[in-house]
Amino acid sequence: MKICKKLNSIKKTDYGYLAELDKAYMKICFLTDSIVRIKVSFGDIADAEKPEGSYILQMTGWDDRLDFLFEGRKHVTPLEALLEEKENEICLKTDSVCLLLEKNPLSIKLVDKDGDVIYEGVKGSPFIKDANNRVTGYTRMNEDDCFYGFGEKTGPINKNKDFIRERATDCWSYDPEKCDTMYKHIPFYLRLDRQTRKATGLFYNNFHESVFNMGKEKSNYWPRYTYFQADGGDLDLFIFTGPSIKNVLDDYTALTGRPALLPKRALGYQGSSMYYSELEKDSDKALIEFVETVRRKGFPIDGFHLSSGYTSYDNKRCVFTWNKERFPDPKGYFAKMNELGAQNVPNVKPGILLMHPKFDEFKKEGVFVRNSENDKEPAVGSWWGGPGAFWDYTSPKGRELWKKYLTETVIDIGTNSIWDDNCEYDSLLDHDSKCDYDGEGGRIGEFKPVMCTIMSKLACEAVKEHDKSKRPYVVCRSGSSGIQKYAQNWVGDNCTAWRTLKHNIPTMLGVGLSGQPNTGCDIGGFAGPAPEEELFVRWVQHGIFQPRFSIHSASSDNTVTEPWMYSRQTDRIRNAILLRYRMLPHFYSLEYEAHVTGAPIMRPLVYEFQNDENVYEENFEFMLGKDLLVANVLEKGQIVKDIYLPEGTKWFDLENNFKCYEGGQVISIPVNINSIPRFLREGAILPTALNQPMNAEKDPVTDLSLTFVPYTDGKEHVSEYVYYDDDGCSNDFEDGVYRKTTITMSGSGIIDISFKGEGTYKDTVETVVATVVYKEKAPLWISFEDKKLTHILDREKFEASDNCWYYSETLRAAIVKFRNPKHDATLKVSFEEFDLIGM
């Protein structure tokens, strides 16, 4: 066993500093003013300084031999640190942090400019490598620290006192509260210090199977600690200094990849069921009829997730084949689905059965992960229907041929959407199975979770190489750090139960705090019997707020979960889905924000209210963006809902005429089967569509509703919202063909709302209706572009007029209507005091 106990020396290098420890070498790099890298290698100096090769990092301050794979990889010049050396201490200081290194016993401490410790290793034994080649990093903790993230995990959102395993597995019908592991492997977490209320992020750039112990164990010989332990590799730690959760996620996604700007159809309803593609024949006709029924019954739709039954060959799943009994004319079928506005998202899998008709061809090309004892034979593990081999995406040849077959048999048939599934490499039990690693050679134990991320990258590339104008939509069940750059995820094969509806929420919120904003769960449950009536209604009412909205099932009772499955609930289901489509302007603006900053779309309350300790362990309420709080009904037969409203702001009930509540309290409201509780915070700006889109990609927003909730405390406040739009399907946005409108609300007596546009995309909005919530009184006057608007007292006359305003006594809000001038403009609403006597 190697235990690092002291620091012998330190020297300056091109990338930062290299410290020689008694049992290892430690690289230190101040990558930016808020990202610090500490990489500990237990080999010799040659191992410590060998060329790096990462499939994950999108920002580096050093040479990386895989740069050629990443056109957008950013290279930065690491910061210079002032080195001060004393007899037993070294201080590396930048403008923002100080790294203190005690020599003997070895101690590592990172301190921010306020003097607060944001990272500290356990003194005398921060880094260890044992006889089994496992590496362990120990970190100090406070007893009541909050820990968030870790990728995709069940249970409460705060993982204090948890023991967590990072290993991607195929866990069909998992327990939504207690299962570990699941499909993702993301060794990143946020630490929130309750005393300082500051957040720090830790990312271990190591994808061997690993564990996090977040204070679950305790030893009286040591202060309270957490640890990360991996089955091999280096302790390659990136520390994100915060201090806000927003800062940490911004830095983490800058390092591992900004989330993809998905096409609009990815935010629409995705139909799906294994049933249709498993029919004996004519699956294509059944699926076309399904979409036509969706349309006939007045539901919107944007896609269909095509399960792997279309690849059935001798009753086995064989990727890159088509079952012609089920789909006699794949191109004709795809064309019809595209015409109906429901593009297929075909399922593809990386496992190749030994009986696959092209197995020998693939083997000859050398595309498989190889046997650890015989280079000429593929590694074999269990697969759908028998033993199979697995594609090696770290091989240049493997990547080239994957894109070739994917294009010929799927993309060229007529889709720009790909569903990467069953890509955990779970059944390759021999972790010494060999990977190409772009010529250097590696083991599958190092790359299991990375394979699906490269697989998703290839799907994006294949779509663009087939037609450079098309924006790909890739959805993937698995994922490593960096998956957010390429794909939308979902939390796997969940089971139909009230528990699942409820406890999938903190799982999705945790994924959002792990840098992946584009996530969801199967609405209604995938495994098990059909959802009961009330459960299905509640699941849809909740699911409309998920970035991925798909009703998907493989029911055990021979049923198919469809929006109209309960006739007396069809209207409620339809109304909820129509509401989602009216929220698309907000969703797509949040999609853009996520693409730029890594911000979650579904946000745990702690993300927006980091100073309110009451929300640190809130698992089921969440924010959709920064202003809209969602508190869904999640219990069977519930008639009263208790809701905590975060402190420091007022809250306005969207379901009850903007009834106002003070924050920092639990309120109880009555709920019924129609209830979808939502609240806007003071200062909110919320865009929705007034016209009803039925297809996210094809139906533009022509009539825009904007809801404003000004502050009424007489103080000066500024609120801002970036309303984003583009064509939603091409890559033209990369060349500036988008419309980004910054909406700013300021002022007290006179509320000043400005609209400033950017980009060359043609604005589709013709009419704007602004609702300005002001409970105290009606406006004195309202102007738009410095012209007073007509005040109309009769609602029917107001509805028939343009460029006017009306004050709703029911809502206690001014409703303003104006034509979109399609240039920068200002709306002013006067709530000044009016002296009637001295007028």
Side-chain angles (χ1 to χ4, degrees):
M1 179 177 283
K2 296 180 179 181
I3 304 175
C4 296
K5 295 183 178 181
K6 63 181 181 177
L7 187 156
N8 296 328
S9 64
I10 190 168
K11 67 177 182 179
K12 182 76 176 69
T13 66
D14 292 339
Y15 52 78
Y17 299 86
L18 180 66
E20 182 184 346
L21 311 180
D22 52 346
K23 300 294 184 182
Y25 287 89
M26 180 171 67
K27 285 183 176 180
I28 300 168
C29 175
F30 297 89
L31 187 60
T32 70
D33 62 355
S34 55
I35 304 176
V36 180
R37 185 191 198 191
I38 299 173
K39 183 179 181 183
V40 178
S41 302
F42 286 90
D44 57 23
I45 185 67
D47 290 326
E49 299 207 311
K50 70 181 180 182
E52 299 199 32
S54 175
Y55 295 108
I56 301 302
L57 300 181
Q58 300 299 313
M59 179 169 65
T60 68
W62 47 88
D63 292 333
D64 190 294
R65 68 183 187 87
L66 299 181
D67 278 348
F68 70 95
L69 290 174
F70 300 96
E71 185 179 343
R73 179 176 273 171
K74 183 178 181 181
H75 288 274
V76 300
T77 301
L79 301 183
E80 291 278 351
L82 176 64
L83 190 153
E84 297 176 352
E85 186 166 1
K86 300 177 183 178
E87 182 177 353
N88 195 45
E89 184 182 76
I90 294 170
C91 174
L92 293 169
K93 191 173 184 180
T94 71
D95 290 340
S96 55
V97 293
C98 180
L99 185 66
L100 299 171
L101 305 172
E102 192 174 317
K103 296 179 183 178
N104 189 12
L106 177 63
S107 171
I108 299 175
K109 187 183 297 185
L110 188 64
V111 180
D112 69 12
K113 58 186 176 182
D114 297 326
D116 292 321
V117 177
I118 54 179
Y119 166 81
E120 184 176 1
V122 173
K123 191 171 185 176
S125 57
F127 313 119
I128 294 175
K129 183 174 182 177
D130 67 19
N132 295 317
N133 290 318
R134 294 180 301 186
V135 293
T136 307
Y138 287 90
T139 303
R140 289 284 304 272
M141 66 171 283
N142 299 318
E143 192 69 36
D144 60 354
D145 281 342
C146 297
F147 301 107
Y148 307 113
F150 304 96
E152 180 185 66
K153 297 296 172 186
T154 62
I157 191 171
N158 179 11
K159 303 302 183 187
N160 184 295
K161 307 299 190 299
D162 271 10
F163 184 85
I164 299 163
R165 192 176 181 192
E166 294 289 344
R167 177 194 172 202
T169 55
D170 185 346
C171 51
W172 178 84
S173 194
Y174 57 86
D175 186 301
E177 293 180 80
K178 299 182 180 299
C179 180
D180 188 41
T181 56
M182 290 181 65
Y183 305 87
K184 319 292 188 296
H185 180 138
I186 300 177
F188 162 78
Y189 69 87
L190 293 128
R191 169 182 173 259
L192 179 58
D193 186 316
R194 287 183 188 262
Q195 281 67 54
T196 65
R197 301 193 176 182
K198 292 180 178 179
T200 310
L202 280 75
F203 166 50
Y204 287 91
N205 183 32
N206 179 320
F207 295 97
H208 289 79
E209 290 187 11
S210 56
V211 297
F212 284 99
N213 190 320
M214 308 313 294
K216 191 174 182 69
E217 75 178 35
K218 189 174 185 179
S219 170
N220 290 332
Y221 294 98
W222 307 100
R224 297 295 282 126
Y225 59 84
T226 70
Y227 67 75
F228 167 81
Q229 184 178 80
D231 285 353
D234 296 326
L235 285 170
D236 187 7
L237 172 62
F238 288 85
I239 304 170
F240 308 96
T241 62
S244 73
I245 294 174
K246 298 177 185 180
N247 297 147
V248 171
L249 285 180
D250 193 355
D251 280 340
Y252 171 71
T253 56
L255 180 72
T256 61
R258 294 299 191 191
L261 181 63
L262 297 177
K264 287 180 179 178
R265 67 181 180 277
L267 297 172
Y269 165 42
Q270 301 291 320
S272 189
S273 172
M274 287 190 68
Y275 168 81
Y276 293 101
S277 60
E278 299 295 327
L279 297 173
E280 287 188 17
K281 65 176 185 175
D282 296 336
S283 293
D284 53 351
K285 293 178 181 177
L287 282 164
I288 290 168
E289 182 181 355
F290 166 79
V291 176
E292 290 175 339
T293 303
V294 168
R295 295 291 189 203
R296 177 169 49 82
K297 289 182 177 290
F299 291 89
I301 191 169
D302 270 87
F304 192 90
H305 280 48
L306 182 62
S307 295
S308 57
Y310 80 96
T311 67
S312 181
Y313 176 89
D314 282 352
N315 206 30
K316 307 284 187 182
R317 265 71 169 176
C318 291
V319 68
F320 304 141
T321 68
W322 278 89
N323 183 307
K324 292 302 182 74
E325 291 294 315
R326 295 171 176 172
F327 297 89
D329 178 15
K331 276 196 173 184
Y333 160 69
F334 271 29
K336 181 62 176 178
M337 292 290 273
N338 289 340
E339 179 188 327
L340 291 169
Q343 184 170 119
N344 271 220
V345 189
N347 183 291
V348 295
K349 306 179 190 295
I352 310 295
L353 289 167
L354 303 188
M355 52 70 63
H356 192 291
K358 291 190 175 182
F359 183 85
D360 291 339
E361 177 183 333
F362 296 154
K363 179 181 175 182
K364 184 178 179 182
E365 295 283 6
V367 301
F368 294 131
V369 176
R370 289 164 289 138
N371 187 287
S372 62
E373 297 178 354
N374 185 350
D375 263 357
K376 296 181 180 179
E377 291 297 322
V380 175
S382 299
W383 188 235
W384 276 50
F390 296 82
W391 217 274
D392 182 5
Y393 300 113
T394 72
S395 158
K397 188 70 170 179
R399 292 193 295 268
E400 174 193 342
L401 288 176
W402 183 263
K403 287 196 289 187
K404 174 180 179 291
Y405 292 119
L406 185 65
T407 300
E408 290 176 353
T409 62
V410 178
I411 296 170
D412 193 48
I413 303 299
T415 188
N416 304 306
S417 306
I418 302 296
W419 173 9
D420 289 338
D421 199 13
N422 300 93
C423 39
E424 296 82 18
Y425 287 64
D426 190 8
S427 68
L428 278 184
L429 300 180
D430 183 358
H431 288 193
D432 293 327
S433 299
K434 297 178 181 180
C435 302
D436 186 80
Y437 191 21
D438 276 270
E440 184 170 301
R443 300 161 49 250
I444 191 62
E446 304 171 73
F447 295 113
K448 268 191 180 185
V450 178
M451 285 295 184
C452 63
T453 300
I454 306 174
M455 182 185 182
S456 297
K457 177 181 187 292
L458 296 176
C460 291
E461 290 175 355
V463 167
K464 289 184 177 181
E465 289 168 11
H466 181 258
D467 186 339
K468 65 181 181 180
S469 71
K470 299 301 183 184
R471 194 186 316 178
Y473 169 36
V474 178
V475 59
C476 184
R477 189 173 72 176
S478 305
S480 67
S481 298
I483 189 64
Q484 70 273 1
K485 191 172 190 292
Y486 310 110
Q488 183 187 75
N489 288 130
W490 85 106
V491 297
D493 297 339
N494 60 357
C495 57
T496 299
W498 281 95
R499 290 172 62 236
T500 305
L501 163 63
K502 187 172 183 177
H503 292 282
N504 269 177
I505 295 174
T507 298
M508 289 183 285
L509 295 178
V511 172
L513 289 181
S514 303
Q516 171 55 298
N518 290 302
T519 190
C521 70
D522 284 346
I523 307 301
F526 178 76
E532 61 181 80
E533 195 167 330
E534 184 186 356
L535 173 59
F536 187 48
V537 172
R538 294 305 190 194
W539 216 322
V540 172
Q541 289 172 339
H542 158 70
I544 62 172
F545 300 104
Q546 296 175 182
R548 176 186 181 265
F549 179 71
S550 180
I551 299 172
H552 183 38
S553 64
S555 301
S556 59
D557 57 0
N558 299 318
T559 59
V560 182
T561 305
E562 293 176 323
W564 53 84
M565 63 189 297
Y566 294 109
S567 58
R568 62 181 178 177
Q569 303 298 343
T570 298
D571 288 345
R572 290 190 177 93
I573 300 295
R574 183 192 301 108
N575 289 339
I577 300 175
L578 290 173
L579 172 61
R580 177 187 178 86
Y581 271 70
R582 292 195 300 275
M583 291 193 298
L584 284 173
H586 186 46
F587 266 111
Y588 200 53
S589 297
L590 294 177
E591 180 74 17
Y592 171 76
E593 182 185 355
H595 174 62
V596 174
T597 69
I601 293 174
M602 279 177 66
R603 302 174 182 177
L605 299 190
V606 67
Y607 181 90
E608 290 294 340
F609 301 95
Q610 192 169 317
N611 289 322
D612 184 353
E613 194 170 359
N614 294 310
V615 305
Y616 287 2
E617 294 173 294
E618 174 53 55
N619 294 303
F620 307 114
E621 296 177 27
F622 58 89
M623 303 295 293
L624 192 69
K626 65 184 177 66
D627 292 331
L628 179 60
L629 185 149
V630 179
N632 289 306
V633 180
L634 306 171
E635 305 286 350
K636 184 175 181 178
Q638 193 166 13
I639 58 173
V640 176
K641 174 77 176 176
D642 291 337
I643 299 169
Y644 177 73
L645 300 174
E647 66 184 17
T649 186
K650 295 177 181 178
W651 293 91
F652 297 80
D653 188 345
L654 273 174
E655 286 212 321
N656 189 14
N657 300 319
F658 297 111
K659 182 177 179 179
C660 181
Y661 297 90
E662 289 290 337
Q665 64 169 325
V666 176
I667 63 169
S668 297
I669 62 170
V671 293
N672 56 44
I673 193 64
N674 298 309
S675 298
I676 308 177
R678 290 157 290 146
F679 297 80
L680 283 177
R681 70 195 288 186
E682 193 172 23
I685 302 172
L686 179 68
T688 56
L690 275 174
N691 62 304
Q692 179 62 65
M694 300 300 288
N695 184 272
E697 187 167 288
K698 295 182 178 182
D699 293 348
V701 175
T702 57
D703 300 284
L704 182 67
S705 169
L706 292 170
T707 301
F708 298 92
V709 186
Y711 290 91
T712 58
D713 57 6
K715 299 177 182 178
E716 289 293 328
H717 298 273
V718 178
S719 299
E720 187 175 282
Y721 188 99
V722 176
Y723 173 45
Y724 178 84
D725 198 15
D726 60 28
D727 65 20
C729 62
S730 80
N731 299 306
D732 290 348
F733 72 94
E734 296 173 346
D735 298 319
V737 186
Y738 57 78
R739 184 71 178 172
K740 186 167 68 172
T741 303
T742 301
I743 306 171
T744 305
M745 178 173 64
S746 60
S748 53
I750 298 177
I751 307 302
D752 196 312
I753 301 170
S754 68
F755 302 84
K756 293 187 177 180
E758 175 187 332
T760 61
Y761 180 66
K762 184 179 178 181
D763 194 344
T764 64
V765 174
E766 298 298 334
T767 301
V768 178
V769 175
T771 300
V772 184
V773 180
Y774 209 90
K775 293 291 184 178
E776 286 77 5
K777 58 185 174 182
L780 183 61
W781 52 264
I782 297 177
S783 71
F784 183 66
E785 293 194 288
D786 293 326
K787 294 179 182 179
K788 292 285 182 71
L789 300 180
T790 303
H791 180 196
I792 297 178
L793 296 176
D794 178 71
R795 185 60 183 260
E796 290 182 3
K797 186 177 178 182
F798 167 75
E799 297 290 354
S801 304
D802 284 326
N803 298 312
C804 57
W805 66 276
Y806 169 84
Y807 188 74
S808 169
E809 290 291 348
T810 303
L811 299 178
R812 300 293 291 173
I815 304 174
V816 189
K817 188 193 300 184
F818 55 88
R819 301 289 294 173
N820 181 11
K822 305 200 176 184
H823 56 69
D824 293 354
T826 301
L827 173 70
K828 293 185 177 182
V829 185
S830 170
F831 293 102
E832 299 166 287
E833 293 297 330
F834 176 60
D835 182 0
L836 185 62
I837 295 175
M839 63 182 296

